[in-house]
Amino acid sequence: MGTFILYKTILASCILMISLLVAMYSTLIERKVAGFFQDRLGPDRAGPWGLFQPLADGIKLFFKEEFMPNTADKFLYILGPSLTMLIALLTSAAIPWGSNLVINGKEYPLQVADINIGILYIFAIVSIGVYGIMIGGWASNNKYALLGAIRASSQMISYELAMSLAIIAVVMMTGSLSLKDIVQQQHGFNWNVWYQPAAFLIFLVCAFAECNRSPFDLPECETELVGGYHTEYSSMKLGFYLFAEYINMFISAAVMATLFFGGYNFPFMDKLALSPNAMATIGFFVLFTKITFLGFVFMWVRWTLPRFRYDQLMRLGWKAMIPLAILNIVITGIVILIR
Amino acid sequence: MSFWEKIYLPAVLNGMRITFSHLFRKKATIRYPETKREFAEIYRGQHVLKRDEEGRERCTACGLCAVACPAEAIIMVADERKPGEENLYREEKYASVYEINMLRCIFCGLCEEACPKEAIFLTKKIVASDYERDGFIYGKDKLLEPLDPEKRIDISKRETKEVLEFKKDKSKKHNQ
Ligand code: SF4
Ligand code: SF4
């Protein structure tokens, strides 16, 4: 029992550190990628290839003036970013980061919690995420912030529906809600994306909307809402909001890799005949490659597409994504019945 | 809109293809302190107040440059040349104070065109940044060409063909 708790604590802290590190460096990668897409070089002054840029940004955010509007609700104002950050970090617990490690004949799964309703857990936590934004926008007592918060909540709620409907098709195929089972069923090259391309597409689009990323970044739409829900935030509180966005991006990429791209599975993994530990290590890096690629897709889309109009966004969500997802479920059901 | 246009996807994928191709393009960025952009020989940068071959200031404080200046960036104070200062100033009258406000100047080069004495020219030098506004008012200390013949500033690139031709005519008083 003691080792169990110790192991889980170490694993959880590792995953926490990795999430934070990845989020930190995705800010740099995002800026680099944006630069390259626009025929620029991106930041390259702080350290070699700008490697210290995230540190510099972090230090800058720490030393910025902490400003709180007079009319703001103090408690909720602080709660907003904290909640967003907390929830962004919570989701990583249910993701299987690799197959089992074997130490002294005992198996240690590279997953903090193998919950049998893993997907449900992730969806539940992600839906709480909207509260962070909503509370922050409300507590700022600023009309732009409030509008941004309202937009965020209605957008996230509408896209969550389509997202979960897309997942139902995957769950129907797998017959399990546990992420571990879903990953194990995609052994080798048996990835879900080959069987459920429509579900993947819907999930991807909804993930953009859920993370408030372009082309659905209406909650923080600079052109009309100044900064959206974080208009009144400064210093590290703003940093938390921005940081949480990147963690969310990382986690959604991880969830997508797990659900559709076989998680830590890779083609011809049986032919290698390696020890389980080597397998777990390779699997971990394979998963990370997939996450990196999906993260790149996030950035790629952001720097390609212009922002949707709000009515277009809602129409896409309710009139295209949800019917498509339902159709996908029906077709999947029929195919399963026939087989 | 046709069906394919309505579902956005082909357009989105095409857009992504275009942006992706930009990843491998040559970058337009010039890493400034390490590499510098080539300036044109006739670049209009910070001014220089020229001296003649014998090292005398050419400016006679006629004020034509100040009149020509559209940004009203130039002010000067004229003074009379005392006996014994002939080696310092070319004409009997000279500018004891000559200031250009580099924040006002638009680097149009009209002062240079207006000057009858070939005393003021624009150079390739860039006006440095500063923390104070006062720092941008350049007096004679910053504008005047150094006496040392080695450090003279070559402005011949900014002189037109006609001017260079005219300067060969030694019968004109201007060229003596
Ligand atoms: S360059 Fe133009 S603006 Fe500048 S001092 Fe000369 S005349 Fe004035
Ligand atoms: S710089 Fe030329 S135009 Fe200006 S005052 Fe001197 S001589 Fe006259």
Side-chain angles (χ1 to χ4, degrees):
Chain A
M1 195 64 205
T3 48
F4 177 76
I5 292 175
L6 184 70
Y7 172 69
K8 289 293 180 194
T9 319
I10 292 173
L11 187 66
S13 353
C14 283
I15 290 174
L16 183 73
M17 279 345 261
I18 291 175
S19 312
L20 289 178
L21 204 73
V22 167
M24 217 166 114
Y25 273 90
S26 358
T27 58
L28 174 67
I29 296 170
E30 166 110 60
R31 289 170 68 184
K32 276 273 181 200
V33 166
F36 271 72
F37 276 141
Q38 297 167 353
D39 295 346
R40 298 183 283 116
L41 286 172
D44 67 341
R45 291 288 117 164
W49 305 290
L51 277 183
F52 300 139
Q53 188 66 41
L55 282 180
D57 288 342
I59 292 170
K60 184 197 85 173
L61 276 173
F62 261 114
F63 286 100
K64 284 253 167 169
E65 186 192 348
E66 185 88 68
F67 176 80
M68 194 189 281
N70 260 339
T71 47
D73 185 319
K74 301 272 167 336
F75 175 67
L76 292 182
Y77 186 81
I78 296 171
L79 184 68
S82 332
L83 204 62
T84 315
M85 193 70 174
L86 176 76
I87 283 154
L89 288 170
L90 269 181
T91 26
S92 56
I95 293 170
W97 296 98
S99 46
N100 294 352
L101 282 176
V102 179
I103 303 167
N104 292 337
K106 269 181 85 180
E107 290 212 343
Y108 291 93
L110 277 179
Q111 182 182 20
V112 178
D114 178 22
I115 321 167
N116 55 7
I117 48 157
I119 300 184
L120 266 187
Y121 165 81
I122 287 185
F123 274 90
I125 296 291
V126 168
S127 351
I128 304 175
V130 75
Y131 281 96
I133 291 177
M134 227 164 71
I135 289 174
W138 171 259
S140 312
N141 214 339
N142 169 315
K143 58 187 168 208
Y144 292 122
L146 183 62
L147 279 173
I150 292 172
R151 277 183 175 191
S153 23
S154 51
Q155 171 181 332
M156 285 172 105
I157 289 166
S158 5
Y159 276 82
E160 219 147 74
L161 284 176
M163 205 171 186
S164 356
L165 288 177
I167 290 306
I168 286 180
V170 175
V171 173
M172 279 163 73
M173 279 179 53
T174 320
S176 165
L177 283 168
S178 150
L179 285 169
K180 193 163 197 157
D181 291 351
I182 294 179
V183 171
Q184 272 164 358
Q185 290 212 357
Q186 303 178 61
H187 196 75
F189 209 44
N190 235 350
W191 298 352
N192 275 337
V193 66
W194 313 131
Y195 304 109
Q196 293 286 351
F200 169 65
L201 201 69
I202 296 168
F203 194 92
L204 185 73
V205 173
C206 297
F208 291 148
E210 285 284 302
C211 296
N212 293 328
R213 297 270 308 179
S214 202
F216 306 114
D217 55 346
L218 284 134
E220 41 191 301
C221 168
E222 298 88 353
T223 31
E224 29 192 289
L225 290 184
V226 192
Y229 59 89
H230 57 57
T231 305
E232 292 289 359
Y233 282 89
S234 54
S235 183
M236 221 32 214
K237 293 205 197 73
L238 173 69
F240 265 33
Y241 269 132
L242 303 182
F243 213 63
E245 186 190 317
Y246 282 96
I247 299 179
N248 276 331
M249 199 171 102
F250 169 59
I251 298 294
S252 12
V255 171
M256 257 187 280
T258 314
L259 289 178
F260 292 101
F261 288 91
Y264 51 76
N265 292 306
F266 51 95
F268 314 116
M269 57 196 292
D270 299 323
K271 302 234 171 66
L272 289 174
L274 290 169
S275 72
N277 284 352
M279 218 47 187
T281 322
I282 296 178
F284 180 74
F285 283 108
V286 166
L287 178 61
F288 249 83
T289 319
K290 291 173 185 169
I291 293 175
T292 315
F293 175 73
L294 287 167
F296 175 72
V297 171
F298 267 78
M299 294 168 190
W300 189 1
V301 168
R302 169 164 181 193
W303 296 102
T304 305
L305 299 183
R307 188 180 288 130
F308 273 60
R309 221 170 47 218
Y310 203 67
D311 61 315
Q312 290 171 331
L313 172 95
M314 279 299 160
R315 199 168 56 218
L316 186 71
W318 289 98
K319 289 195 184 161
M321 288 298 157
I322 294 180
L324 208 62
I326 293 176
L327 190 70
N328 192 38
I329 293 176
V330 172
I331 293 174
T332 313
I334 293 173
V335 171
I336 290 177
L337 260 188
I338 291 173
R339 266 206 299 191
Chain B
M1 286 199 291
S2 76
F3 173 74
W4 288 111
E5 279 168 349
K6 253 190 205 142
I7 62 167
Y8 296 124
L9 271 182
V12 166
L13 290 178
N14 194 29
M16 287 171 75
R17 187 182 58 77
I18 291 173
T19 37
F20 195 75
S21 74
H22 276 263
L23 278 185
F24 310 104
R25 295 261 175 98
K26 199 177 164 296
K27 304 297 169 223
T29 312
I30 294 171
R31 290 187 167 92
Y32 168 59
E34 292 100 49
T35 48
K36 285 186 180 139
R37 188 188 290 262
E38 278 284 315
F39 278 12
E41 287 299 335
I42 52 166
Y43 184 83
R44 296 199 297 260
Q46 187 190 320
H47 311 63
V48 60
L49 277 176
K50 290 292 284 179
R51 294 174 189 274
D52 67 0
E53 288 73 36
E54 289 142 60
R56 302 173 297 183
E57 289 177 24
R58 299 188 75 115
C59 175
T60 181
C62 65
L64 284 178
C65 49
V67 171
C69 178
E72 300 187 358
I74 306 180
I75 54 163
M76 72 195 67
V77 175
D79 228 331
E80 201 179 330
R81 181 176 70 185
K82 306 265 162 17
E85 288 182 335
E86 284 85 355
N87 61 332
L88 290 178
Y89 310 110
R90 192 175 135 111
E91 320 282 341
E92 300 89 72
K93 190 170 131 232
Y94 72 97
S96 56
V97 176
Y98 188 100
E99 286 178 351
I100 300 181
N101 186 336
M102 291 297 173
L103 286 180
R104 299 201 63 151
C105 176
I106 55 172
F107 302 97
C108 60
L110 287 183
C111 45
E112 173 188 302
E113 239 171 80
C115 182
K117 295 289 177 193
E118 289 187 60
I120 190 152
F121 282 96
L122 273 65
T123 63
K124 283 209 281 187
K125 207 166 146 199
I126 288 182
V127 175
S129 48
D130 198 37
Y131 291 108
E132 308 284 335
R133 277 164 188 257
D134 287 349
F136 285 102
I137 297 174
Y138 281 23
K140 274 173 88 172
D141 53 327
K142 285 191 185 155
L143 294 173
L144 210 57
E145 184 178 37
L147 253 177
D148 187 350
E150 299 281 293
K151 291 189 190 147
R152 285 302 181 83
I153 295 161
D154 176 33
I155 44 80
S156 52
K157 291 281 180 342
R158 280 202 60 75
E159 291 176 313
T160 57
K161 236 192 249 134
E162 291 80 8
V163 171
L164 289 171
E165 199 58 38
F166 167 78
K167 279 173 86 174
K168 287 194 194 127
D169 183 359
K170 291 291 171 198
S171 66
K172 297 279 191 302
K173 184 158 185 288
H174 180 90
N175 293 329
Q176 282 161 15

